[in-house]
Amino acid sequence: MTDILRVNGLSKSYGNQIGCADVCFDVYPGEVLGIVGESGSGKTTLLRCLAGHLEADSGSVEFVLRDGVRRDTLTMDEAERRQLGRTDWAFVHQNPRDGLRMAISAGGNIGERLMAIGDRHYGNIRATATSWLERVEIDPARIDDRPSTFSGGMQQRLQIARNLVTAPRLVFMDEPTGGLDVSVQARLLDLLRGLVAELGIAVIIVTHDLAVVRMLADRMMVMRRGQVVESGLADQVLDDPSHEYTQLLVSSALQV
Amino acid sequence: MNQIMQTAETGPSTDSAKAAGGEAYNFAYLDEQTKRMIRRALLKALAIPGYQVPFASREMPMPYGWGTGGVQVTAACLLPDDCLKVIDQGADDTTNAVSIRRFFQRTAGVQTTEVTGEATLIQTRHRIPETELVARQILVYQVPIPEPLRFLEPRETETRKMHALEEYGLMHVKLYEDISQHGHIATAYSYPVKVEGRYVMDPSPIPKFDNPKMHGSSAIQLFGAGREQRIYAIPPYTRVHSLDFDDYPFEPMRADQTCALCGAEDSYLDEVIMDDKGTRMFVCSDTDYCGGRLEAGHEGQQGDAT
């Protein structure tokens, strides 16, 4: 199996401040890669550089397109990158308000990506939206309700449905369980795990919550001050951390 | 188009302008430099159908919302031997139309008319005349909000990018919302169109009944938004397609009535409330069209009501 994403020497600095420095890693199809670290460790900067929301200073992000061609997405022109952003890529924001259109119904939110890639049949769009609502455990009767009337967990599930509707091959997630209470988090993680396994998509998930990594990720990277300090299989790193910072992180996690 | 090209190069003679205006104004109020700037924007707009060209909109002696954009475009296109018609919601005799017509009578001294066929330049607010326009005519629209994506995506930087990259999925999201809420596309005016297969454009708040008239029209269609400082255009014989879904095709809409005065069955009708008991009558919104039919001897159910 060949990798779907290959990141080489990716760096981004904000003036003198280092965002992330010399990050290298691969992602394989169907794999979940967790990126952990404390606040300010550069994990969100890294994710935003990967997704093209921020311009990286140096390095390369090579993505394998559907036709098998490997392209550096950093040097791609913006039209192509945005095209990727609504077909093969998806971005799940921490705050669902950033990723959803709050003034547009749930069905419209899910349908937007379909219409963006040229679907012009109302009946088909609506049928797809209904089936996706069911998949993310939202009552299809609420298809015409606005996300502002939804609970936080429902909004997050709607955001996931909206992103996965065009069958992306790589999904970026920025703290998807951030503002949710524990029981809702558990359901969301369960749902995500099911969808990822079912659809075989690759996921890069940024989080400070080690439990999320334990549950979802196959491999993980630990970041500190913009550098990757340790990486490996998720269970291995969590059970037997070798770097002192990872040891600190793992020992700081609350055990219930 | 020739007319604009010609004026862009030479401009009207200022002598005749002074004679016509008779006052301290330049011909058609704006100074020649400003008119030249606007004509450049107009030529660019005609070269890229549907694209919003920024221009340095001037303060006009009337408030924003009264058609300052349209007035500036008209001023830039007007020649001393032009014949001007101004309509507001189809009518020649409403406040807005009367003031703008008088404004150009005073500052340009051009001939004015209420007859669509006689006019060489028609400035309009929210309607296209019922009489089909011909090649020698220019139609100038007053535009309040030129950006069709404005209420879907508030960031202007983003909408500009969306136009540049032809990302128009969002426009269909609005139509989707219409169908999901009302069972049909309920947008009745400012109905978005795609011009020559490229730019999505707001046709100004004309009823969607008028949308098909923009397609392949022989006349030049110019759009001016004064407050928003944008000019865009549809050159003659251009494809103008109203956006829709495969299973919910675009349908022009009109009241299912005939004109009470002239009996017209094909014109856009205004609904007029007659009394407190809810009596109503439907009359042509295009007063010139209605008047012409009356003269030709047509009669509606209340033909004698006037």
Side-chain angles (χ1 to χ4, degrees), chain A residues 37-50:
Chain A
E38 60 192 7
S39 296
S41 60
K43 48 193 198 308
T44 298
T45 298
L46 174 63
L47 195 73
R48 290 175 50 109
C49 284
L50 294 175

Side-chain angles (χ1 to χ4, degrees), chain B residues 225-303:
Chain B
R227 178 174 38 203
E228 302 275 334
Q229 314 202 318
R230 291 289 183 279
I231 282 174
Y232 49 103
I234 306 177
Y237 313 113
T238 302
R239 278 182 291 133
V240 180
H241 169 72
S242 303
L243 299 181
D244 58 2
F245 283 103
D246 296 344
D247 45 348
Y248 285 86
F250 170 78
E251 278 169 22
M253 191 180 68
R254 77 184 277 279
D256 189 18
Q257 300 279 338
T258 57
C259 173
L261 301 178
C262 75
E265 290 169 3
D266 55 353
S267 67
Y268 189 74
L269 300 175
D270 282 343
E271 183 180 359
V272 185
I273 306 289
M274 302 302 285
D275 55 29
D276 288 347
K277 295 181 205 111
T279 317
R280 54 188 65 179
M281 78 189 267
F282 288 87
V283 290
C284 289
S285 118
D286 186 335
T287 51
D288 165 56
Y289 181 74
C290 198
R293 279 178 58 88
L294 285 176
E295 266 173 42
H298 295 279
E299 205 174 291
Q301 287 170 333
Q302 300 175 45

Side-chain angles (χ1 to χ4, degrees), chain B residues 91-113:
Chain B
D92 288 277
D93 51 5
T94 44
T95 321
N96 194 301
V98 169
S99 344
I100 293 174
R101 187 163 53 231
R102 201 172 50 195
F103 175 75
F104 282 115
Q105 269 169 345
R106 282 179 56 185
T107 58
V110 290
Q111 249 194 306
T112 58
T113 180

Side-chain angles (χ1 to χ4, degrees), chain B residues 128 132 141 193-194 196 210-218 221 234-242:
Chain B
I128 299 176
E132 196 177 333
Y141 297 76
V193 293
K194 194 164 211 178
E196 202 63 19
D210 284 340
N211 271 22
K213 295 182 196 164
M214 290 187 289
H215 174 76
S217 169
S218 341
Q221 301 173 74
I234 306 177
Y237 313 113
T238 302
R239 278 182 291 133
V240 180
H241 169 72
S242 303

